[in-house]
Amino acid sequence: MEAFWISLVVIFVAELGDKSQLMAMTFATRFKAWPVLAGITIATTVVHLLSVAVGGLVGDLLPTTAIAVVAGIAFLGFAAWTLRGDELTEEESGKAARTTRSALIAVTVAFFLSELGDKTMLATITLATQHGWLGTWIGSTVGMVAADALAIVVGRMLGRHLPEKVIRYGAAAAFAVFGVILIGDALM
């Protein structure tokens, strides 16, 4: 239980103001809250399981530079994709309103990539070297999902008051900034 509580608090605090929270807010302005939260939960569960495995086995031997560069390039691609936008026919628009699968996939992939080599992943690895893996895994996952759930609530509230064009440009800019930051941090 000690590993659970320590990990929950440390990761929750580390996540406040992090790019993942901003991503959650951005996604929440474009998609329904449940697929966004589900995508975050899936990605976080997998990344933090990998983190505790690495922390338990090798500790500090993670090659974060290459991972961060790849994630940064992917984010620049997400920015371009967001700017380009997609035009839906009436039939596709109706189908999009009924399904959440593509939103779930987009959020899961984006969060998975953004968390690889991120400070919360490194914090989880560090915690796993000092505490039990199971408590660290569950606590870090719950802490991150809780922090991002707060961002989803804020994003949903903002999304009701912003025009689609502002949301699209803002999301593209956010992805581009995250991509540049990831690449810059990796190369520094």
Side-chain angles (χ1 to χ4, degrees), residues 113-159:
L113 290 173
S114 74
E115 286 307 307
L116 293 176
D118 188 56
K119 70 181 176 186
T120 52
M121 180 183 186
L122 299 175
T124 303
I125 290 170
T126 303
L127 289 166
T129 64
Q130 301 166 4
H131 303 283
W133 74 270
L134 183 62
T136 301
W137 176 44
I138 295 169
S140 65
T141 301
V142 170
M144 182 148 166
V145 171
D148 289 338
L150 287 175
I152 290 170
V153 170
V154 171
R156 296 296 295 167
M157 292 166 68
L158 286 176

Side-chain angles (χ1 to χ4, degrees), residues 25-26 30 36 52 65 76 82 111 119 126 128 146 148 155 159 184 187:
M25 196 179 312
T26 301
R30 299 186 56 96
V36 174
V52 296
T65 302
L76 293 175
T82 301
F111 268 83
K119 70 181 176 186
T126 303
D148 289 338
L187 299 178

Side-chain angles (χ1 to χ4, degrees), residues 7-18 119-120 143-144 147:
S7 298
L8 188 149
V9 171
V10 167
I11 299 303
F12 182 87
V13 171
E15 188 65 12
L16 294 176
D18 190 56
K119 70 181 176 186
T120 52
M144 182 148 166

Side-chain angles (χ1 to χ4, degrees), residues 48-114:
H48 287 202
L49 182 59
L50 293 171
S51 299
V52 296
V54 168
L57 297 174
V58 293
D60 60 354
L61 297 177
L62 184 68
T64 58
T65 302
I67 291 169
V69 169
V70 169
I73 292 168
F75 272 86
L76 293 175
F78 290 147
W81 187 2
T82 301
L83 268 181
R84 187 189 67 127
D86 290 323
E87 296 295 322
L88 296 177
T89 65
E90 251 182 70
E91 181 183 338
E92 290 171 327
S93 183
K95 202 183 277 188
R98 290 187 304 273
T99 185
T100 58
R101 187 181 54 173
S102 61
L104 177 66
I105 292 168
V107 172
T108 301
V109 170
F111 268 83
F112 181 81
L113 290 173
S114 74

